[in-house]
Amino acid sequence: MPDPAVPPTPPVRLSALLAREDLALRRIAGPDDPAAVVHWVHTSEMADPYPYLLGGELLLTAGVHIPDAAGSDGGAPCSSEAESLGDYFDDYVARIVAAGGAALGFGVAPVHDTVPRALVAACETYGLPLLEVPPQTTFSGVARAVWQLMAQARLAELRRVTEAQQSLTAAASRPDPVPSVLRQLAQRLGGRAVLYGPEGAEIAGAGRNPGEEADAALAGLAGVVRPTGGGPGAPHPTAAGGPGGGPPHPTSATDTVAGTHLAAYALGAGHGFVLGVATPERAPGDHTVASVAAVLLSLLTGEQQSGTGAARSSALVRLLLGAPPEEVAPLLGGRRWVVVHARPDGQGPADAVAASALGAALGSALVDPAGDVVRVLVPADRAPDPLPGWTLGVSAAAAPEDWPVADTQAARALARARATRTPLLRHGPRPALADLVPPGEAAAHARALLSPVTAHPALTETLRTWLSLHGSWDRTAVALSVHRNTVRQRVARCAALLETDLDDPDVRMELWFALRHI
């Protein structure tokens, strides 16, 4: 049977059409295949409809073309007539099957009272589903029902793709973006999703393992689309290349092994990463969903750039050779910047891929994954927004010469954000009474007042955080990542060294003023 030239519309399962009570269709011959589908409806009274079929049709007929020997009541004709009718229906059904017809619908009345027995026998012989169309059901009603079911299927497919795109995008913004995207993709497709590295090794995977044979075939299929080639023993997939016949190494390929549908997508970053997908069945929209995941993984595995790589390399070289930050800042994309300090909400520090994804979400490639905190330098015109899975502290906009101050502001904003369980907290300087004191005199006063504790950085930072959080032991402990008893001991030590009462609001105000000037 030739492959039908099916239209770009979702097929309708024959079982769904039979389930329509308003049609009252009844299958009276042919296989009861739950996977049987119809791509369109065609009505014909031709004795040989083959030239007019494209494949995948539900062919409808009232039997006008049937020779008179069949009778109007389906009764048994004489032996010679029966043999002649048997040959006629055999030829008729064989031609429909050869054209790729999906099913035959026979309308009862006004021409025939019943479906001819010879037609039923021929459909059984050739494995063509035969449906009885009752008198009250018009052929146009059957066609309309098919279009309705197609529209419902298309809407469901679009909704599925849209929901998958939203969930994959949300997964890409999490602190563990690559595993999150793979988990979401595997869940959406009901199979397994794997990220292969440039050398062919599996970097990360999610979902049910399809078995050793399919798993090995998927790895081989990934080699087909990887720029280094598939190597010996690779499967012979259906590959999709570029225009003009396709490049030597296609960007995607599909295969079926041990009843499992396989697909591989070369990621666009050009570093040799490949996304592999294995599913028990291939549903409409699967390719679109997998393509969305491939785009996201391309961004996550590639270098994120806010300017050209050459400009950033030039800026780095100039800094290393002694140029001041204000001279290299224009090469990086701006003259005023904010510093962002970020910590993942889960356990453990963020890895390099998660830090890169954070930078991409913030619109900057200037990322420093330093320990538990990821620092990002962002142009001031790109105001950061809260990101799921992260806690952010954002500095005030600063010129390059003030980046160290902005770094401190972001660190303190992050500490307060974690203590108050706020997704994002910005440092917001504003004019105050303290600004009326000349900076030199304020700094001298601060050094004199705080000299007993400034020799102990941990005490100074604990006092600063404790005062900023209105004397909350628990929030200060969270902000500093220490036990609340440690906070109590340090604050008590500060009170003893300063020889003052920290419960006095005037004392707290004066100490806060001093801490802002050291």
Side-chain angles (χ1 to χ4, degrees):
M1 181 189 303
D3 291 333
V6 296
T9 54
V12 172
R13 290 189 182 273
L14 192 59
S15 58
L17 196 62
L18 290 168
R20 290 279 296 251
E21 295 182 358
D22 57 323
L23 299 179
L25 302 177
R26 187 168 64 95
R27 187 184 63 81
I28 58 176
D32 183 11
D33 183 4
V37 296
V38 172
H39 289 276
W40 39 30
V41 175
H42 179 65
T43 300
S44 174
E45 296 300 339
M46 302 292 294
D48 181 13
Y50 181 96
Y52 308 96
L53 300 181
L54 296 177
E57 296 95 346
L58 167 59
L59 178 63
L60 299 177
T61 179
V64 176
H65 58 88
I66 299 175
D68 293 339
S72 61
D73 58 357
C78 66
S79 59
S80 60
E81 291 176 338
E83 182 178 352
S84 176
L85 281 174
D87 292 341
Y88 175 83
F89 284 123
D90 278 353
D91 292 341
Y92 178 70
V93 173
R95 293 287 281 173
I96 296 174
V97 171
L104 175 65
F106 192 91
V108 177
V111 181
H112 298 272
D113 295 332
T114 60
V115 180
R117 297 174 184 174
L119 178 60
V120 175
C123 288
E124 284 286 0
T125 300
Y126 287 93
L128 180 68
L130 176 61
L131 311 184
E132 180 186 76
V133 183
Q136 71 272 18
T137 301
T138 63
F139 286 178
S140 60
V142 175
R144 181 177 58 191
V146 170
W147 309 143
Q148 289 174 346
L149 290 171
M150 283 185 174
Q152 294 172 7
R154 172 61 74 186
L155 181 60
E157 178 184 338
L158 292 176
R159 183 182 295 113
R160 174 174 177 255
V161 170
T162 300
E163 291 175 352
Q165 181 175 357
Q166 293 172 345
S167 63
L168 288 168
T169 303
S173 66
R174 294 186 59 81
D176 54 343
V178 169
S180 295
V181 169
L182 293 175
R183 283 195 299 270
Q184 192 61 233
L185 178 61
Q187 179 181 342
R188 290 287 172 176
L189 300 186
R192 181 162 176 80
V194 181
L195 177 65
Y196 296 101
E199 304 300 325
E202 179 178 325
I203 295 178
R208 299 186 300 272
N209 194 304
E212 292 184 5
E213 184 180 359
D215 192 46
L218 183 60
L221 192 64
V224 172
V225 300
R226 186 177 296 107
T228 54
H236 300 282
T238 300
H249 303 293
T251 57
S252 65
T254 60
D255 197 7
T256 301
V257 174
T260 301
H261 299 280
L262 310 177
Y265 303 84
L267 302 189
H271 301 311
F273 291 93
V274 176
L275 168 64
V277 177
T279 56
E281 61 181 14
R282 190 168 290 151
D286 280 2
H287 175 72
T288 303
V289 173
S291 297
V292 171
V295 171
L296 292 171
L297 291 170
S298 295
L299 296 174
L300 294 172
T301 56
E303 182 185 12
Q304 304 305 315
Q305 301 189 18
S306 60
T308 65
R312 289 204 308 277
S313 297
S314 176
L316 176 60
V317 170
R318 294 188 190 186
L319 283 173
L320 292 174
L321 295 179
E326 55 269 22
E327 287 187 12
V328 303
L331 295 174
L332 300 175
R335 295 187 177 275
R336 291 183 64 79
W337 303 73
V338 295
V339 177
V340 178
H341 279 218
R343 283 190 62 160
D345 294 340
Q347 298 294 326
D351 58 24
V353 175
S356 177
L358 172 67
L362 295 176
S364 175
L366 303 175
V367 181
D368 174 28
D372 293 338
V373 175
V374 179
R375 300 189 300 176
V376 187
L377 196 58
V378 181
D381 58 350
R382 302 174 187 172
D385 293 320
L387 294 174
W390 293 91
T391 300
L392 307 180
V394 183
S395 74
E401 58 269 22
D402 295 323
W403 283 348
V405 176
D407 186 47
T408 301
Q409 292 174 351
R412 293 172 181 171
L414 175 61
R416 286 180 54 80
R418 294 186 65 240
T420 57
R421 292 180 173 83
T422 304
L424 183 148
L425 193 65
R426 305 178 193 273
H427 177 84
R430 60 182 180 180
L433 291 175
D435 297 325
L436 300 177
V437 180
E441 295 182 15
H445 173 73
R447 286 193 298 270
L449 179 63
L450 297 174
S451 59
V453 297
T454 51
H456 310 281
L459 294 181
T460 305
E461 191 58 28
T462 300
L463 180 61
R464 185 197 310 278
T465 305
W466 183 72
L467 290 174
S468 72
L469 296 171
H470 311 292
S472 169
W473 309 109
D474 292 331
R475 290 184 174 183
T476 303
V478 172
L480 298 177
S481 299
V482 298
H483 195 275
R484 67 194 306 272
N485 289 342
T486 302
V487 175
R488 288 182 176 275
Q489 293 169 3
R490 290 180 181 177
V491 172
R493 178 63 175 160
C494 289
L497 291 173
L498 296 171
E499 298 179 350
T500 189
D501 180 10
L502 294 180
D503 290 331
D504 188 331
D506 290 332
V507 172
R508 291 191 182 191
M509 181 180 66
E510 184 177 11
L511 290 174
W512 181 248
F513 170 86
L515 286 166
R516 290 186 59 191
H517 290 85
I518 62 169

